[in-house]
Amino acid sequence: MRAFREAVEAGDAEAVEALLAENVVFTSPAVFKPYAGKAITAAILRAVVRVFEDFRYVREINDPGGRDHALVFTARVGDREITGCDFLHVNEDGLIDDFMVMVRPLSGLQALAEAMGAQFDRIAKEAQAQSA
């Protein structure tokens, strides 16, 4: 999904959020239960920007004429190098309604989970403020 990739690469949080459907479901690589809704998903994505260093997309895989996209990325969390993939599904309006992230290796995922856990209170406050 070109628009999403360009918004992420430009660091444009507002443009990223504008591409999310109100009913988007975000599935984390570290948490069993998915997060539902635009406010919490946007807050999580803002936290990811704070946590990831040296983030870059390295490959884009699209379903020609379809609604499914995969964006492979590399990043660093502390001293851990990670590779991951954003799996995106867009609805009939072209907005992301399903957003699933996978990350490897396990040590990188653990570092990411710890760093994101430290952001949890801020994520919750941002999501609540946005929903109000």
Side-chain angles (χ1 to χ4, degrees), residues 16-32:
V16 169
E17 187 174 338
L19 293 168
L20 300 175
E22 289 297 327
N23 65 340
V24 63
V25 174
F26 180 84
T27 304
S28 163
V31 179
F32 177 74

Side-chain angles (χ1 to χ4, degrees), residues 64-76:
R67 296 184 182 174
D68 294 298
H69 310 275
L71 299 170
V72 180
F73 64 85
T74 61
R76 192 168 42 81

